[in-house]
Every structure is written in structure tokens, then in C-alpha cells.
Amino acid sequence: MIRSDAEFDLALVFISYGSVFRDIAEGLANKGLKVLLLAPDRDYKNPDNTYSSQQASENLWVERISVPRLDKNRLLHKLLFFLFFSHRSAAFLKKFKAKLFVSSLMPVLVPYEVFKISRTKNAPFILLLEDLVPDTWIRRKRFSKNNPIVRFFGRQTRILMYGSDKIIVIGRDMQDYIQRAYGVTPERIEFIPNWAKLAEQETHNKGTERKEAPFVVLYGGTIGEAQNLVPLIHAAEIVMKTDRGIEFQIIGSGMRQKELQKIAADRGITNVRFFDLQSPEDYARSMDRASLMVVSLREESKGMSVPSKTYSCLAQSKPILAIVPGGSEIHMEIKEDGYGIFCPPESPKEIAEAIIKIKNDKALYAECARNAFNAHKLKYNDKVALEKYFEVVKDVLERKAGA
């Protein structure tokens, strides 16, 4: 139980206490900052999993906010989840003092409520931008720009863009977009790409040893609107006719999972296997057995999001097949770091050719694997990213103290 007179250096409000959100909270607490993190008491993806509040370390308190059991794959349920979490988080934050507030744009409703709390307490606010709504809904033609839902959330996003003291983006294409679309000035934007935990050197040595039989092309993660995996299924059909030693595995769940399964079944594509979400331990074993990792982003999601699974693949020294828009963050990274092959989403033939090429060209495969681990070690790990986060937080706090 947190005492009512407790004061914190910063309050974080995130959709979960896992992955990069856990790293951010723990990394800042380890720097000596007193951190309060609010997260739902249910897992967003697996709502049967529940959690309790805890003092995670000397400087980190994790408060679980009660939310009902809802299905994230149903729009109304998703919005209700965000509504409960936002209102209950705001009510909780009103009781405590914090020098700085931080929240991510997703889930919707939440950052706006946290921003309002920061203003009532005369404290700065940092927005973490991982997915951009409602812009992405309009791009994907899910809603028109005149839809009342879009107008409602669009107003909140504009207020956050104009009012946040700092905006942290995970892609340079996102940075370009918010400068053009919202007029956010460069000095208020910080680019900090996502990451994976810094891996040991033996991971690199193991990753460069290409798996021979079968050659497994693996996609793991959400199978939803931001991804475009249909070209991968069609590429698998092309590969099936020319190389029977290549197997495709798709692990995960989401709104478009059944669509992909139907395409594969209707067209008799037998070299694609589908698996439900796996535990972190099981997925780590699947990654270890894989030869080539797939990351995917549809054209409309350029500047809106970045496939975060990329960085765990790099930590495993796995070459990347990037089915992403040209000019997107991952495309830029591949050009800079050489950790894989870029393929435009609209060309299954090019995707198939790229898979066969990297399978047969052992020198290319080894080079991409080495480059993957080097990029992870030098740029895309928690040590590098959290140092950047700390510098941003310290700068905002110092500016506020000197104001």
C-alpha cells in the first residue's frame, strides 16, 4: 500500500508492466529516481492473467488498476478497457505528488487523462509515441476523418501533440510525420528506437550458424491491421513450387489470423503452419530453431508504427526479412545496418526470391546475422536506450526546476 503522502520523481502510466515498459520503469528507478508505475491488473492480450500491486524495488512502486475482463479483439470491449483504465488511473493519480508524468499514446483516452492531471499539478508531461491514432485509422480507411470517434480522439491527440513537453518517437518516419501533420518543433521530439535486452556474445555465435533442414521462415506477433502478411502467404505458395526445404511458421493471434488461414487452405499452401500465441519460453525456442525472421508493416502504417519484434530478432543474431514500406524506420535501419533484406509489401515474387536467395547464399546469410547482432550490441539494446530515456527525463526535470 502506497502512503497517501508519498511523493515521486515521476509517474508512468502504461498498458502493461512488461517488455520495454518494465525496462523503462526499472531503468529509471535504478538511476535513483523514485518511480510510480500504473498498469492494469489484467493482461491486455490474455485477460485471464491477473496481477497484484507490488513494490518492485527500493525506488519502484507498481500499482495495478482494476479493469474488467474484456476481449481486445472486439472494438467496443477494447474501448471499454481503455475507458476503465483511464478513469481509474486518473482518480488514483490525483492522490499523489509527482514531479513528472509519462504515458504512451496507446491506449487511447489514457494519455489525455494523465496529461490533464499533470497540468492540474503544474508538472511536465512526456508522451511516448508508439502508435499514432486516429491518424492510422484514417489511413487504413477504417473510419473517415469526419467520423465522431475520429474527431473525438483526434482532438485529444492534437492537444497532446501541442501540449507535451517532450514527445519520444520510436521511428524517424514518425518524427517526420508529426512535424508535418502537427507542426511539432524538432526540439520537442526525441527519437529513441525500441530495443531488446542486451544479449550475450554466445547468442551471436549461435545465430550465425544457419539452420539447414528445414529452413524455417518465422513470423511471431500480432496478426492485425498494422501488419500485412498476405504477401508472405502468396510468397510461400511460390516457394512451395520451387524449394520444398523451406517452411513458414506464423505464431500469434489477431484480427486477420483467420483470413490468412483461409487463404492458405483455399490455395492448398502446405508449407505454412499456424500456431497460437506462445509463452515467452516457448517462443524463445521457436526463434532459436528459426532461420529467417519476418517483420511486416502495411503501407498505410508508415510513420504510424514500428514493428517492435525486430529488436528481439536482432538480439538472437537472426537475419530479418522486412516486408515494410520504403522509407519506413525498419527500411532505413536495414540500409544503415545491413541486418537483413528489404522487400516491398506489394511484391510476393520479390519476397519469394529474397527468401530463396538468403537460404542459398551462405555468405550473405552469415553477414546479415553478424550485422544483426552488431546492430543490437551497439544501438538497439536496453543499456543504450535507457541511458537516452534518463537523459530526456533529467533534462525535462531540470528545465522545470529552473523555470
Side-chain angles (χ1 to χ4, degrees):
M1 178 70 70
I2 302 174
R3 290 175 43 169
S4 59
D5 60 347
E7 296 186 18
F8 298 92
D9 290 309
L10 70 158
L12 311 173
V13 186
F14 293 142
I15 190 64
S16 75
Y17 177 49
S19 188
V20 297
F21 297 133
R22 177 188 288 267
D23 289 346
I24 292 169
E26 292 179 351
L28 295 175
N30 290 338
K31 287 287 191 178
L33 297 172
K34 194 173 180 180
V35 178
L36 169 66
L37 182 139
L38 272 59
D41 67 347
R42 289 184 182 275
D43 191 291
Y44 178 59
K45 294 182 178 179
N46 299 298
D48 290 330
N49 295 340
T50 58
Y51 309 99
S52 300
S53 300
Q54 63 180 113
Q55 183 173 349
S57 68
E58 181 182 359
N59 289 326
L60 174 59
W61 285 258
V62 179
E63 184 67 26
R64 295 292 184 172
I65 304 299
S66 176
V67 293
R69 188 190 185 288
L70 295 163
D71 180 359
K72 76 176 183 69
N73 290 317
R74 299 172 64 182
L75 180 60
L76 180 58
H77 281 219
K78 181 184 289 191
L79 292 175
L80 285 172
F81 181 97
F82 297 160
L83 182 65
F84 277 107
F85 181 51
S86 63
H87 284 185
R88 291 174 180 178
S89 294
F92 186 87
L93 287 175
K94 289 177 182 177
K95 305 174 187 176
F96 300 97
K97 292 181 180 179
K99 298 176 183 176
L100 170 65
F101 292 81
V102 182
S103 187
S104 58
L105 187 59
M106 288 296 284
V108 293
L109 299 172
V110 176
Y112 181 65
E113 292 297 326
V114 178
F115 173 77
K116 289 195 299 182
I117 293 290
S118 75
R119 290 305 176 253
T120 63
K121 295 179 178 290
N122 193 31
F125 176 82
I126 295 176
L127 177 67
L128 173 54
L129 197 58
E130 292 200 313
D131 293 284
L132 189 53
V133 294
D135 307 57
T136 188
W137 298 341
I138 299 169
R139 281 259 195 100
R140 297 174 193 164
K141 295 183 171 55
R142 187 173 185 183
F143 299 108
S144 78
K145 63 181 181 180
N146 295 318
N147 183 287
I149 295 175
V150 169
R151 293 168 68 88
F152 175 77
F153 288 117
R155 176 180 174 275
Q156 292 193 359
T157 297
R158 285 192 299 276
I159 290 172
L160 291 168
M161 291 293 179
Y162 300 146
S164 298
D165 295 86
K166 280 286 185 180
I167 301 173
I168 297 175
V169 298
I170 60 172
R172 284 162 288 182
D173 52 345
M174 300 175 78
Q175 179 174 343
D176 292 343
Y177 178 80
I178 65 172
Q179 287 182 243
R180 292 195 317 270
Y182 291 96
V184 181
T185 53
E187 63 270 16
R188 287 203 298 122
I189 306 173
E190 291 289 338
F191 165 56
I192 306 178
N194 271 342
W195 62 88
K197 288 282 190 184
L198 184 61
E200 300 295 332
Q201 184 66 26
E202 52 262 32
T203 302
H204 159 59
N205 296 332
K206 180 173 61 175
T208 56
E209 300 170 2
R210 183 170 67 78
K211 308 297 186 293
E212 291 295 340
F215 186 90
V216 175
V217 180
L218 175 64
Y219 173 84
T222 303
I223 308 171
E225 292 189 328
Q227 299 75 34
N228 182 14
L229 293 173
V230 172
L232 182 67
I233 302 298
H234 290 304
E237 183 177 16
I238 297 170
V239 169
M240 182 178 67
K241 298 172 183 176
T242 56
D243 191 328
R244 305 293 292 186
I246 298 175
E247 178 182 298
F248 295 77
Q249 296 182 4
I250 297 178
I251 300 173
S253 64
M255 299 171 71
R256 302 193 69 182
Q257 182 182 25
K258 291 182 178 178
E259 175 190 354
L260 299 183
Q261 291 172 327
K262 185 176 188 304
I263 292 171
D266 289 348
R267 299 184 68 86
I269 305 172
T270 58
N271 59 345
V272 179
R273 300 173 65 195
F274 293 89
F275 301 89
D276 289 332
L277 280 172
Q278 296 179 343
S279 68
E281 297 76 18
D282 287 342
Y283 184 66
R285 285 189 284 271
S286 295
M287 286 184 66
D288 186 54
R289 292 190 293 267
S291 307
L292 179 66
M293 300 297 300
V294 176
V295 297
S296 175
L297 194 72
R298 62 190 285 180
E299 183 65 39
E300 297 88 345
S301 295
K302 177 183 173 181
M304 307 285 116
S305 183
V306 177
S308 59
K309 289 286 184 183
T310 305
Y311 305 101
S312 59
C313 301
L314 300 182
Q316 293 292 321
S317 297
K318 299 295 183 181
I320 304 291
L321 173 67
I323 308 171
V324 298
S328 62
E329 175 60 31
I330 299 303
H331 180 216
M332 287 188 273
E333 290 178 14
I334 284 181
K335 289 197 293 184
E336 294 165 357
D337 303 316
Y339 59 61
I341 298 178
F342 158 74
C343 290
E346 65 274 7
S347 180
K349 184 174 182 290
E350 286 187 45
I351 296 168
E353 290 172 349
I355 293 168
I356 293 170
K357 177 178 174 59
I358 202 167
K359 180 204 172 199
N360 294 332
D361 189 336
K362 293 185 178 181
L364 174 63
Y365 185 95
E367 180 184 7
C368 289
R370 283 193 301 270
N371 290 343
F373 189 79
N374 287 337
H376 162 73
K377 182 175 65 174
L378 297 174
K379 298 169 70 173
Y380 307 116
N381 66 72
D382 56 322
K383 306 298 183 187
V384 172
L386 295 176
E387 191 62 39
K388 293 178 181 178
Y389 266 88
F390 178 67
E391 290 301 319
V392 172
V393 168
K394 184 173 71 169
D395 178 66
V396 172
L397 288 173
E398 288 175 351
R399 287 175 181 271
K400 178 62 178 177

